[in-house]
């Protein structure tokens, strides 16, 4: 399987020389909840690479996680399984919580499950970490900032900052914000336990992390609408049209998963600097429109599959694509000044550099499995419309 260049492989990381033992105070027993997801499957191998570190890797599905990682205990379970959180928090020094249903297509169709996964199911974890004095590194989301960046008086801001940007969600009937509201409330719960009950915590707000193994391809290893990258890759691999929601005018800032995971490892190694903090992690220099992303991805695909029919795009209305209740962030650009200061972290990979490795990964994982589908057959027969 081919992987995109990561900060590590490109020699961009300024990680300290390898230690054989970690200094006192650094966590060595780590539980990762959601270890089998896209980010978890990149994070666990990097954590396992730390000296004398034992990991409990928990998820309902661990297929994406490399097998046979040293000192990684694979636990296939729901976090709601009786006794699981109790067992995990008893053993770990640090719990990294990644579990969530993070796909906008679900926010309007399965909002109750979305809210439970991001809020209800995690409140017991917050309480257990507080009671046992365990450090909780919790993954929240850039979606908490909402539609656009506004300061506390409602004035536009260019970048979203942890300290100064207000959280501007849409009305309740716009169920798109069910996820963001649940994530925001859990942040507030964590913050309150930190301020008033002594919880050691760090909250991370990722901004559109992309890379190999992201999401699923409909009809192969999932159903429904995946995130934008997988949705476009599905269209490219099957000769379908890339659906540009509302013409693809919304903007996102993309960050490479290798660089993102490097930041998380830096957090884990800096408890003194990072406990009690909320940190944006993203890359403002990769702020592009979704239409631009579609064009760049199609170009990267063409390099690897020059014989494929030219990519075609179509504009679709958001409500037609996602159904009623959808809404969107217009633009979200992170300020990562705090992460730079606390972690010495500066992401460098440009979107154009990331895409070839990502396309190669999707082709390696899905091309064969898609070749028998009717969509792929009609693509081979002349690239007719398939969706
Ligand atoms: C996502 C999730 O809501 C969060 O879980 C997550 O924290 C956050 O992004 C992130 O990655 O940090 P969003 O960026 O809106 O939200 O989700 P995508 O599916 O990646 O969509 C990005 C944009 O592309 C949206 O404007 C969407 O309407 C559009 N889109 C999506 C298309 O134009 N075509 C598609 O086929 C799919």
């Amino acid at each position: 399987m081919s992987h995109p260049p990561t900060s590590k492989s490109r020699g961009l990381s300024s990680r300290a020389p390898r230690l054989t033992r970690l200094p006192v105070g650094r966590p060595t027993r780590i539980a990762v909840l959601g270890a089998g997801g896209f980010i978890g499957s990149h994070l666990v191998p990097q954590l396992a690479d730390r000296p004398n570190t034992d990991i409990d890797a928990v998820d309902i599905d661990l297929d994406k996680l490399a097998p046979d990682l040293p000192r990684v205990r694979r636990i296939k379970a729901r976090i709601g399984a009786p006794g699981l959180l109790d067992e995990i928090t008893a053993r770990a020094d640090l719990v990294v919580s990644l579990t969530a249903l993070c796909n906008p297509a679900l926010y309007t169709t399965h909002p109750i499950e979305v809210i439970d996964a991001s809020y209800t199911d995690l409140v017991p974890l917050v309480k257990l970490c507080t009671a046992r004095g365990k450090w909780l590194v919790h993954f929240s989301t850039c979606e908490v900032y909402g539609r656009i960046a506004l300061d506390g008086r409602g004035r536009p801001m260019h970048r979203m900052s942890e300290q100064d940007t207000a959280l501007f969600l849409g009305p309740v009937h716009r169920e798109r914000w069910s996820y963001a509201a649940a994530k925001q409330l859990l942040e507030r719960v964590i913050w309150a336990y930190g301020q008033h009950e002594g919880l050691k915590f760090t909250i991370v707000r990722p901004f559109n992390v992309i890379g190999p193994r992201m999401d699923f391809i409909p009809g192969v290893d999932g159903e429904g609408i995946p995130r934008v990258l997988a949705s476009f890759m599905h269209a490219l691999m099957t000769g379908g049209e890339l659906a540009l929601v509302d013409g693809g005018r919304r903007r996102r800032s993309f960050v490479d998963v290798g660089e993102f995971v490097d930041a998380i490892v830096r957090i884990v190694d800096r408890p003194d600097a990072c406990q009690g903090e909320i940190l944006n992690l993203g890359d403002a220099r990769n702020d592009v429109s979704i239409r631009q992303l579609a064009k760049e991805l199609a170009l990267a695909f063409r390099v690897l599959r020059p014989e494929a029919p030219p990519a075609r795009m179509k504009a679709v209305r958001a409500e037609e694509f996602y159904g009623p209740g959808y809404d969107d962030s217009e633009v979200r650009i992170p300020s990562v000044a705090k992460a730079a200061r606390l972690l010495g972290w500066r992401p460098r990979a440009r979107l154009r550099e990331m895409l070839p490795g990502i396309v190669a990964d999707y082709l390696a994982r899905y091309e064969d499995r898609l070749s028998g589908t009717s969509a792929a057959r009609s693509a081979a027969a002349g690239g007719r419309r398939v969706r």
Side-chain angles (χ1 to χ4, degrees):
M1 194 190 297
S2 119
H3 293 281
T6 62
S7 54
K8 212 175 163 201
S9 61
R10 279 183 276 103
L12 298 177
S13 165
S14 53
R15 232 186 262 169
R18 195 172 162 75
L19 303 166
T20 51
R21 289 203 76 75
L22 289 165
V24 176
R26 304 246 189 115
T28 55
R29 288 169 301 167
I30 302 176
V32 180
L33 308 180
F38 158 57
I39 291 177
S41 73
H42 287 271
L43 176 62
V44 170
Q46 296 304 317
L47 291 176
D49 218 22
R50 296 166 81 242
N52 60 304
T53 303
D54 290 301
I55 297 176
D56 281 344
V58 184
D59 211 316
I60 45 174
D61 178 355
L62 289 161
D63 290 352
K64 288 187 180 179
L65 185 63
D68 306 324
L69 292 167
R71 301 212 305 269
V72 173
R73 197 156 72 115
R74 298 165 79 93
I75 302 173
K76 224 170 152 180
R78 296 189 172 278
I79 61 163
L84 182 90
L85 290 181
D86 194 40
E87 182 194 329
I88 293 295
T89 52
R91 202 167 31 236
D93 310 320
L94 160 66
V95 179
V96 180
S97 76
L98 283 155
T99 54
L101 293 175
C102 38
N103 176 342
L106 300 176
Y107 307 163
T108 52
T109 55
H110 296 75
I112 296 168
E113 291 88 338
V114 165
I115 291 167
D116 281 345
S118 283
Y119 176 73
T120 324
D121 297 348
L122 295 173
V123 172
L125 174 67
V126 177
K127 291 183 177 176
L128 277 166
C129 287
T130 307
R132 294 185 162 158
K134 305 303 172 84
W135 182 15
L136 175 63
V137 172
H138 177 66
F139 279 59
S140 185
T141 173
C142 56
E143 291 233 340
V144 296
Y145 291 110
R147 285 178 161 163
I148 48 170
L150 297 176
D151 72 9
R153 299 171 76 183
R155 292 173 302 208
M157 298 177 78
H158 179 53
R159 295 190 183 192
M160 292 167 161
S161 104
E162 304 91 335
Q163 194 63 23
D164 303 318
T165 304
L167 309 179
F168 177 51
L169 308 184
V172 169
H173 70 90
R174 292 284 185 189
E175 289 188 305
R176 156 62 186 251
W177 304 109
S178 53
Y179 171 79
K183 287 278 196 185
Q184 186 195 142
L185 185 56
L186 197 78
E187 285 198 21
R188 292 190 187 273
V189 168
I190 292 172
W191 185 268
Y193 273 91
Q195 295 301 304
H196 305 284
E197 301 287 337
L199 173 66
K200 293 183 279 183
F201 74 88
T202 305
I203 292 171
V204 172
R205 293 179 181 162
F207 280 68
N208 288 83
V209 184
I210 57 171
R213 303 196 287 284
M214 189 171 176
D215 239 355
F216 64 91
I217 292 294
V220 180
D221 54 357
E223 293 303 336
I225 304 169
R227 303 280 303 280
V228 67
L229 192 85
S231 180
F232 287 169
M233 280 308 302
H234 180 230
L236 289 167
M237 290 189 290
T238 56
E241 290 168 310
L242 282 70
L244 301 178
V245 172
D246 292 338
R249 66 168 194 268
R250 308 268 157 49
R251 301 183 73 85
R252 295 291 186 269
S253 305
F254 295 98
V255 66
D256 171 74
V257 69
E259 297 197 305
F260 176 82
V261 158
D262 177 46
I264 303 301
V265 175
R266 287 167 187 244
I267 289 173
V268 172
D269 282 333
R270 290 166 174 75
D272 291 345
C274 296
Q275 285 177 358
E277 297 290 347
I278 299 178
L279 286 169
N280 287 345
L281 293 177
D283 191 344
R285 297 167 324 140
N286 290 324
D287 162 48
V288 293
S289 71
I290 297 302
R291 175 179 285 277
Q292 279 170 276
L293 172 73
K295 285 187 184 160
E296 295 284 348
L297 199 63
L299 279 174
F301 181 77
R302 192 147 192 79
V303 170
L304 292 175
R305 290 294 175 269
E307 70 286 1
R312 292 167 306 136
M313 299 177 197
K314 66 169 176 184
V316 290
R317 282 183 36 249
E319 297 236 330
E320 204 181 296
F321 192 71
Y322 287 109
Y326 185 74
D327 202 347
D328 214 339
S329 297
E330 293 296 324
V331 49
R332 49 188 190 214
I333 306 175
S335 159
V336 288
K338 198 199 240 189
R341 179 165 50 81
L342 296 183
L343 309 175
W345 180 76
R346 280 179 191 77
R348 300 192 185 164
R350 306 310 302 257
L351 184 62
R352 210 169 269 188
E353 294 174 87
M354 300 177 212
L355 296 180
I358 293 174
V359 172
D361 169 76
Y362 276 94
L363 288 171
R365 280 190 301 134
Y366 293 107
E367 205 172 33
D368 286 353
R369 289 191 281 173
L370 276 169
S371 62
T373 64
S374 56
R377 279 197 299 279
S378 62
R384 295 192 310 271
R385 180 184 170 137
V386 293
R387 190 178 288 174

